Amino acid sequence: MLLNPRPDPSPSAHDRVYRGLRTRIMHGEIAPGQPLTLRGVGAEFDVSMTPAREAVRRLTAEGALTLSSSGRVSTPELSNDRIEELAALRALIEVELASRALPRAHIALIDRLQSINAHIAEDIQRHDAVGYIRRNLEFHRTLYLRAQAPAMLAMAETVWLQLGPTMRALYGKLTQKDPPHYHRLIISALKAGDEPGLRLAVRSDVTQGLKMLVG
């Protein structure tokens, strides 16, 4: 009789570390250029070196971390050219996602986006840069899920991941007191079924902040 072997705990441990560290990077909880060590990652997630190493390897492959010739691992410090490239990718991918979502933009979705935007206002009042980034991405993801284009959304999330630390540096400098102006335009375009207006609002929203960094 064949017996099922005991499951190896490392895959689940690796996935937990990967997802946890990925979320922290995407939400800007780690500043640009901040070094990470396998020992530090392992201690943070209470795992051995093996799952920590595998999680760091995957995130390096996705561009969320950089590995120097000396073996030093850190979050990326993006050049102006790289920021412009990623902003252009956001404009291409996210405008298309929003356009595909428009036919399925029912009133419940619009209400949800308005609720998220109200919470963004609270994050701004608290000067909570990480909360701002997290909810801003929630706003966009909530809309794009209606596009029913999972491969395209996965590409958008990879760009968000690479930009996370840089977005923290950007939002930490913002002095605005209101939710993003273009979010309101996005919601208005959804209500009106205005595809050209929606495409313009999304393109402006995903690029205008990054332009401040390279201006």
Side-chain angles (χ1 to χ4, degrees), residues 67-150:
L67 178 65
S68 72
S69 57
S70 64
R72 178 179 181 270
V73 177
S74 64
T75 50
E77 294 183 278
L78 302 180
S79 66
N80 286 351
D81 286 345
R82 183 63 172 161
I83 292 171
E84 289 180 342
E85 179 188 5
L86 293 174
L89 278 173
R90 287 199 68 180
L92 288 169
I93 299 168
E94 297 185 43
V95 166
E96 180 64 21
L97 282 166
S99 180
R100 292 182 180 218
L102 181 59
R104 305 181 185 90
H106 46 67
I107 190 63
L109 170 66
I110 293 170
D111 287 346
R112 176 63 181 153
L113 294 176
Q114 289 176 321
S115 175
I116 295 170
N117 222 29
H119 287 300
I120 290 175
E122 296 171 2
D123 293 326
I124 292 171
Q125 292 297 323
R126 291 195 300 267
H127 303 287
D128 182 356
V130 172
Y132 187 118
I133 296 170
R134 183 177 65 251
R135 275 195 237 271
N136 182 58
L137 294 182
E138 182 186 1
F139 180 94
H140 287 274
R141 185 182 287 109
T142 298
L143 172 59
Y144 302 155
L145 282 169
R146 301 304 303 164
Q148 297 183 4

